[in-house]
């Protein structure tokens, strides 16, 4: 299928499909070329990140215009459009007939004449939405994580290969890869500044998260979609939804992905221990092992009153590094350049590349970093050592039949007779189909 964007001059056919590694030399640019050709985009998922990504696209020097939105909930879509129009009225052209609602609304939005699709829905829904956008020949920006289970990751990886054949832009919301402080520090690590990487520590330790009480007459599916962060089938747990950023940095440092993981975790304080409201763990600890035997140790939690820290540390044979901008040891160094907002910078880079006809594809590392988080989650849920290859091939489908879900469907997780949602019990849970 021919990419619709080839009708417009601003997207020249490119012979370059840059990978994340090849991109690092160009994404640190802070000057962004202006263009006169319009980039028409649609947003699928109008929550905080969908609205935020749209705003950041409009903040670039590109001639961008939002032409359609899709969300499970119409009121959320309308609030998003209003918010965007308040700041960029001339860049919003979304009449009521291009506001699509429901769990299958993504198809209608992506079918609108557009160049770029922003996918910012809960991660359980992303594999089929990404697949549909690739099949339609759209360029894509997709928030992380990109799936919640092994079948979803396999589906995304297959669509990534198709996107490369079609020379489609695929940006993934792992914004640290677009921040100069991370780019330069990790480049120095790769060039031997701390010697051989021996071990890494990565953290996303924070407090609690939002919760939206069930309203009168609301279906169970609507309730869970509105509280997506509390259900594994749609969020993938905290290690996927947030801690993926730090795990991605660790894999970027290594230039590879772990071959196995063991871990532990549980839900001590989640919703005050009320299992009628939430399903996910509130703390995890993982020991990832790479093919060369080196380790990455991971902490992730939502525990009020505990130590909070989000970051990474790398231990080498000749020193240590904080990938966000400093090195200690014989080659001590500190980043002194401009620290850019990663969310904004990734959109500057994406829009600038589109205007120049320079296509890059971040889909593979987006999928594999997502799977790194899934590997850790399943190790914590099961209490067992889980192998990457086996889990990717045999991992269970935790949202079977998701393509057919509607807002009135019975979700894959439902409360028991006691009103409590099931949650994994380490030692008893199996991650395999």
């Amino acid at each position: 299928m021919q990419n619709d964007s080839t009708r417009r001059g601003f997207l020249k056919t490119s012979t370059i499909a840059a990978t994340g590694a090849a991109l690092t030399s160009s994404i640190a640019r802070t000057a962004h070329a202006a263009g006169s050709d319009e980039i028409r985009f649609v947003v699928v998922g109008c929550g905080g990140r969908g609205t935020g990504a749209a705003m950041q696209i409009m903040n670039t020097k590109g001639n961008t215009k939002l032409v359609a939105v899709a969300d499970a909930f119409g009121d959320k879509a309308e609030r998003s459009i209003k918010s965007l129009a308040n700041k960029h009225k001339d860049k919003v052209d979304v009449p009521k007939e291009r506001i699509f609602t429901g769990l299958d609304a993504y198809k209608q939005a992506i079918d609108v004449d557009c160049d770029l699709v922003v996918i910012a829905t809960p991660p359980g829904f992303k594999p089929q939405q990404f697949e549909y956008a690739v099949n339609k020949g759209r360029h894509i920006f997709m928030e992380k994580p990109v799936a919640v289970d092994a079948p979803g990751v396999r589906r995304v990886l297959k669509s990534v290969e198709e996107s490369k054949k079609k020379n489609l832009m695929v940006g993934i919301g792992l914004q640290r890869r677009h921040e100069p402080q991370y780019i330069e520090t990790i480049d120095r690590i790769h060039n031997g500044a701390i010697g051989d990487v021996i071990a890494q520590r990565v953290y996303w330790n924070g407090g609690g998260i939002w919760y939206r009480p069930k309203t009168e007459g609301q279906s169970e599916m609507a309730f869970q979609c509105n509280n997506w962060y509390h259900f594994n089938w749609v969020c993938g747990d905290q290690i996927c939804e947030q801690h993926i950023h730090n795990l991605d940095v660790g894999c970027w440092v290594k230039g590879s992905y772990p071959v196995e993981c063991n871990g532990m975790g549980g839900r001590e304080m989640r919703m005050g221990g009320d299992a009628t409201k939430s399903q996910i763990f509130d703390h995890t600890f993982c020991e990832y092992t790479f093919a060369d035997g080196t380790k990455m140790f991971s902490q992730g939690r939502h525990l009020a009153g505990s130590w909070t820290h989000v970051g990474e540390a790398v231990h080498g044979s000749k020193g240590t590094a904080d990938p966000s901008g400093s090195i200690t040891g014989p080659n001590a160094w500190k980043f002194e350049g401009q620290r850019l907002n990663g969310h904004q910078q990734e959109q500057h880079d994406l829009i600038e590349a589109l205007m120049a006809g320079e296509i890059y594809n971040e889909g593979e590392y987006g999928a594999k970093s997502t799977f790194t988080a899934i590997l850790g989650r399943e190790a914590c849920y099961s209490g067992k050592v889980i192998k990457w290859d086996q889990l990717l091939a045999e991992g269970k489908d935790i949202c079977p039949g998701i393509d057919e879900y509607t807002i009135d469907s019975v979700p894959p997780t439902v409360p028991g007779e006691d009103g409590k949602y099931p949650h994994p019990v380490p030692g008893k849970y199996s991650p395999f189909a």
Side-chain angles (χ1 to χ4, degrees):
M1 181 183 298
Q2 185 181 23
N3 179 2
D4 288 347
S5 297
T6 58
R7 300 194 311 270
R8 300 185 177 89
F10 80 92
L11 289 179
K12 301 186 293 290
T13 299
S14 173
T15 58
I16 301 173
T19 63
L23 181 62
T24 56
S25 64
S26 64
I27 63 177
R29 295 192 301 264
T30 57
H32 301 283
S36 58
D37 293 306
E38 188 175 79
I39 299 175
R40 293 165 58 87
F41 73 100
V42 304
V43 172
V44 179
C46 297
R49 278 310 308 137
T51 303
M55 185 73 76
Q56 286 139 7
I57 288 171
M58 294 175 185
N59 288 341
T60 69
K61 293 184 179 179
N63 181 12
T64 60
K65 182 160 288 185
L66 178 65
V67 296
V69 299
D71 196 273
F73 306 102
D75 56 344
K76 187 179 292 184
E78 290 174 3
R79 286 196 301 270
S80 177
I81 293 168
K82 183 177 180 180
S83 174
L84 294 167
N86 283 340
K87 188 164 184 180
H88 289 291
K89 186 176 182 179
D90 60 329
K91 295 187 176 184
V92 177
D93 178 20
V94 187
K96 287 187 176 182
E97 60 268 25
R98 292 204 294 270
I99 301 174
F100 305 107
T101 61
L103 298 186
D104 64 351
Y106 68 93
K107 296 177 182 179
Q108 295 164 289
I110 294 169
D111 285 347
V112 169
D113 179 27
C114 65
D115 308 296
L116 172 67
V117 175
V118 174
I119 301 175
T121 51
F125 292 107
K126 285 177 180 151
Q128 70 266 34
Q129 295 166 351
F130 180 66
E131 178 183 81
Y132 192 85
V134 169
N135 289 342
K136 288 291 182 177
R138 310 305 193 201
H139 298 289
I140 299 158
F141 173 78
M142 181 162 58
E143 260 300 342
K144 56 69 202 150
V146 304
V148 296
D149 55 20
V153 169
R154 293 198 304 265
R155 190 172 183 179
V156 170
L157 285 170
K158 183 178 179 180
S159 294
V160 168
E161 291 308 305
E162 188 66 22
S163 73
K164 291 177 180 178
K165 294 176 185 177
K166 293 184 175 183
N167 203 32
L168 300 177
M169 172 76 76
V170 177
I172 301 293
L174 292 166
Q175 72 274 6
R176 284 163 176 75
R177 296 209 184 215
H178 292 259
E179 297 177 10
Q181 60 270 28
Y182 274 94
I183 294 169
E184 186 169 352
T185 309
I186 293 176
D187 184 59
R188 287 172 179 266
I189 294 171
H190 287 167
N191 286 319
I194 63 171
D196 296 329
V197 173
I198 298 170
Q200 298 187 74
R201 295 177 287 114
V202 295
Y203 306 86
W204 193 298
N205 291 341
I209 54 172
W210 46 264
Y211 176 78
R212 300 162 184 145
K214 193 171 186 178
T215 59
E216 185 176 356
Q218 189 177 42
S219 71
E220 181 65 23
M221 178 66 83
F223 168 70
Q224 291 191 22
C225 288
N226 199 35
N227 279 281
W228 58 270
Y229 205 148
H230 292 278
F231 297 93
N232 295 324
W233 71 268
V234 71
C235 83
D237 212 310
Q238 187 262 359
I239 191 171
C240 291
E241 174 53 30
Q242 289 180 304
H243 194 27
I244 182 178
H245 286 294
N246 319 103
L247 296 170
D248 175 63
V249 169
C251 294
W252 180 13
V253 166
K254 283 295 294 182
S256 63
Y257 294 88
V259 296
E260 68 178 33
C261 181
N262 79 83
M264 62 181 71
R267 38 173 296 116
E268 298 301 317
M269 293 177 59
R270 178 72 66 195
M271 310 308 295
D274 186 353
T276 67
K277 295 181 178 179
S278 184
Q279 184 188 33
I280 67 175
F281 278 12
D282 57 19
H283 65 281
T284 57
F285 179 84
C286 296
E287 178 189 18
Y288 289 96
T289 303
F290 292 91
D292 62 2
T294 59
K295 304 289 186 176
M296 176 169 65
F297 302 101
S298 147
Q299 289 184 27
R301 66 180 178 225
H302 287 153
L303 291 175
S306 64
W307 175 57
T308 60
H309 178 63
V310 178
E312 309 86 23
V314 186
H315 299 265
S317 59
K318 297 180 180 178
T320 61
D322 175 345
S324 70
S326 65
I327 290 173
T328 60
N331 297 310
W333 167 84
K334 186 175 182 179
F335 180 79
E336 295 182 352
Q338 183 181 5
R339 289 180 178 267
L340 303 175
N341 179 301
H343 284 120
Q344 183 60 70
Q345 190 61 33
E346 66 187 351
Q347 302 304 341
H348 281 314
D349 295 333
L350 186 145
I351 296 301
E352 180 182 1
L354 281 178
M355 290 189 297
E358 298 173 355
I359 304 302
Y360 59 81
N361 195 311
E362 300 174 341
E364 184 172 347
Y365 76 65
K368 290 184 176 180
S369 290
T370 294
F371 193 68
T372 302
I374 293 170
L375 179 70
R377 182 196 71 210
E378 298 295 71
C380 292
Y381 280 8
S382 67
K384 295 179 172 61
V385 176
I386 306 298
K387 305 286 188 180
W388 174 289
D389 288 345
Q390 183 184 7
L391 185 66
L392 187 58
E394 302 174 17
K396 71 171 70 173
D397 185 347
I398 66 173
C399 42
I402 193 170
D403 288 31
E404 307 305 320
Y405 291 1
T406 72
I407 207 68
D408 295 314
S409 297
V410 176
T413 293
V414 295
E417 292 182 0
D418 58 359
K420 296 180 179 180
Y421 291 101
H423 55 82
V425 177
K428 296 182 179 180
Y429 172 89
S430 174
F432 300 109

